[in-house]
């Protein structure tokens, strides 16, 4: 039995929660995956998978084997990177994730990091805050970009590198398109924004909780015209129809070339959300993660953060 491969199959089953999809993700047949998991149970003398007609979960012992497997796979990746890398020339994969509204910033970071270190292969994933935190805990994600205000929640042990304080904008079609790029307009109150047909993220997203709280403080109860878990849908819906949306500066920056749109700073209340990179606390970093943590603290990257998030590096119109 190949112990490392069997652990990889177990981790895939835990992530996909379906035997067929886990086997497909591992590029093996479903019988081969099932046989490897049975061999793993024989090796440790415990039942790992609760078996039924469909996947129903892991046993208590299975959860312990899974945790050990996640550590083994990560330690193996760390070792491989150390063996394949030279000083100043790291090689290997780096799994990164961001909440949907921070994907533009993480994508920019991944591209610049790869340009700086061609031997790195960054993977950029979009996840909800809860999925992101679970991924860090299970060691399936190396680096995450999200809401650092959630770090005080029970059971979350993360180390953060603050990046920006996000401001929020109402994104809508402009009555008259700009001559070159998206226009930053006059401020609008949350109360007035709440009277418009809005396209918002789904309730399971932390960004939606932020928006809902701001609207409640403004005395407005909103039923969205459109809900989505895709930030691309947010911007396309605004571009194509009569709806507006509420987006942080990092997302507005991603559609600056759309001259038919305008972004109005939202006020009353003033909503400011800290965004930062996060890693699992106390985990030995890989060579790829070391390189990423070094880059995110450089002046070169900090200039990008200032220009493409928060207030977008501009002086906003007075309130």
């Amino acid at each position: 039995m190949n112990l490392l491969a069997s652990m990889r199959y177990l981790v895939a089953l835990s992530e996909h929660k379906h035997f067929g999809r886990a086997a497909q993700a591992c590029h093996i047949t479903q019988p081969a995956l099932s046989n490897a998991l049975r061999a793993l149970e024989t090796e440790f003398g415990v039942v790992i998978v609760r078996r039924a007609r469909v996947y129903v979960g892991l046993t208590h012992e299975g959860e312990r084997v899974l945790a050990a497997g996640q550590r083994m796979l990560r330690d193996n990746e760390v070792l491989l990177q150390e063996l394949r890398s030279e000083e100043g020339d790291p090689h290997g994969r780096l799994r990164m994730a961001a909440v949907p509204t921070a994907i533009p910033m993480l994508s920019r970071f991944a591209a610049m990091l790869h340009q700086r270190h061609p031997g790195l292969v960054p993977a950029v994933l979009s996840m909800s805050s809860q999925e992101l935190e679970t991924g860090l805990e299970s060691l399936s994600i190396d680096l995450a970009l999200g809401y650092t205000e959630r770090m005080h929640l029970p059971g979350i042990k993360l180390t953060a590198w603050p990046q920006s304080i996000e401001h929020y904008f109402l994104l809508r079609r402009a009555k008259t398109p700009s001559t070159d790029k998206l226009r930053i307009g006059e401020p609008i109150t949350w109360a007035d924004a709440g009277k418009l047909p809005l396209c918002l993220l789904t309730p399971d997203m932390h960004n939606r909780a932020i928006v809902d709280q701001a609207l409640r403080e403004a005395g407005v109860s909103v039923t969205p015209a459109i809900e989505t878990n895709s930030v691309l849908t947010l911007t396309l819906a605004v571009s194509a129809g009569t709806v507006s949306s509420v987006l942080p500066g990092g997302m507005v920056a991603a559609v600056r070339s759309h001259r038919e749109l305008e972004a109005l700073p939202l006020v009353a209340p003033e909503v400011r959300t800290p965004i930062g990179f996060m890693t699992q606390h106390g985990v030995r970093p890989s060579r790829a993660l070391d390189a990423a943590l070094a880059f995110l603290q450089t002046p070169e990257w900090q200039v990008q953060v200032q220009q493409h998030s928060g207030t977008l590096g501009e002086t906003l119109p007075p309130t």
Side-chain angles (χ1 to χ4, degrees), residues 27-47:
H27 306 290
I28 60 172
T29 65
Q30 184 171 329
L33 182 137
S34 296
N35 289 337
L37 295 179
R38 287 193 177 93
L40 203 58
E41 292 177 323
T42 300
E43 175 72 18
F44 292 112
V46 297
V47 176

Side-chain angles (χ1 to χ4, degrees), residues 276-288:
F277 281 105
M278 293 171 280
T279 60
Q280 178 68 289
H281 180 71
V283 172
R284 176 189 174 194
S286 64
R287 294 291 294 272

Side-chain angles (χ1 to χ4, degrees), residues 177-240:
S178 167
T179 57
D180 54 357
K181 63 179 181 178
L182 174 146
R183 177 192 304 116
I184 301 294
E186 297 293 326
I188 184 174
T189 66
W190 283 89
D192 286 339
K195 298 173 185 177
L196 302 172
L198 295 174
C199 178
L200 300 176
L201 289 176
T202 50
D204 59 309
M205 298 293 181
H206 187 67
N207 170 270
R208 175 65 181 277
I210 294 170
V211 171
D212 285 350
Q213 177 61 30
L215 291 169
R216 281 194 297 269
E217 289 183 23
V220 181
S221 177
V222 172
T223 300
I226 302 174
E227 289 185 323
T228 178
N229 65 352
S230 164
V231 291
L232 178 61
T233 300
L234 291 179
T235 56
L236 290 179
V238 174
S239 295

Side-chain angles (χ1 to χ4, degrees), residues 34-285:
S34 296
N35 289 337
L37 295 179
R38 287 193 177 93
L40 203 58
E41 292 177 323
T42 300
E43 175 72 18
F44 292 112
V46 297
V47 176
I48 294 174
V49 181
R50 292 193 179 98
R51 287 183 172 80
R53 294 182 62 184
V54 295
Y55 174 77
V56 293
L58 302 180
T59 64
H60 175 69
E61 292 80 8
E63 293 289 351
R64 294 178 63 185
V65 175
L66 173 65
Q70 290 166 334
R71 291 192 297 270
M72 284 180 61
L73 291 173
R74 190 179 188 283
D75 287 344
N76 180 68
E77 177 63 24
V78 170
L79 177 58
L80 285 175
Q81 290 189 19
E82 290 181 349
L83 294 174
R84 295 171 179 172
S85 301
E86 297 179 2
E87 189 66 32
D89 184 24
H91 282 66
R93 293 180 58 82
L94 181 70
R95 286 177 61 85
M96 303 187 293
V99 294
T101 51
I103 279 293
M105 186 188 298
L106 185 60
S107 300
R108 185 178 299 275
F109 179 81
M112 295 179 68
L113 180 65
H114 175 71
Q115 183 178 26
R116 190 183 184 95
H117 299 292
L120 296 185
V121 183
V124 177
L125 308 172
S126 177
M127 295 184 175
S128 68
S129 292
Q130 186 172 351
E131 290 171 334
L132 184 152
E133 291 151 8
T134 300
L136 286 173
E137 183 181 7
S138 67
L139 303 178
S140 63
I141 298 172
D142 300 300
L143 184 65
L145 182 62
Y147 301 104
T148 54
E149 64 184 10
R150 291 175 55 91
M151 290 179 60
H152 71 278
L153 297 176
I156 296 180
K157 298 179 180 179
L158 305 175
T159 301
W161 284 263
Q163 295 298 292
S164 68
I165 302 297
E166 278 297 5
H167 293 57
Y168 287 80
F169 297 79
L170 178 79
L171 186 71
R172 70 182 186 186
R173 288 186 65 90
K175 292 182 180 179
T176 304
S178 167
T179 57
D180 54 357
K181 63 179 181 178
L182 174 146
R183 177 192 304 116
I184 301 294
E186 297 293 326
I188 184 174
T189 66
W190 283 89
D192 286 339
K195 298 173 185 177
L196 302 172
L198 295 174
C199 178
L200 300 176
L201 289 176
T202 50
D204 59 309
M205 298 293 181
H206 187 67
N207 170 270
R208 175 65 181 277
I210 294 170
V211 171
D212 285 350
Q213 177 61 30
L215 291 169
R216 281 194 297 269
E217 289 183 23
V220 181
S221 177
V222 172
T223 300
I226 302 174
E227 289 185 323
T228 178
N229 65 352
S230 164
V231 291
L232 178 61
T233 300
L234 291 179
T235 56
L236 290 179
V238 174
S239 295
T242 59
V243 297
S244 301
S245 190
V246 175
L247 297 174
M251 272 303 304
V252 173
V255 294
R256 266 178 159 167
S257 62
H258 293 238
R259 65 186 188 88
E260 75 278 10
L261 301 178
E262 65 177 353
L264 312 181
L266 280 158
V267 297
E270 302 291 335
V271 180
R272 305 289 182 261
T273 307
I275 297 292
F277 281 105
M278 293 171 280
T279 60
Q280 178 68 289
H281 180 71
V283 172
R284 176 189 174 194

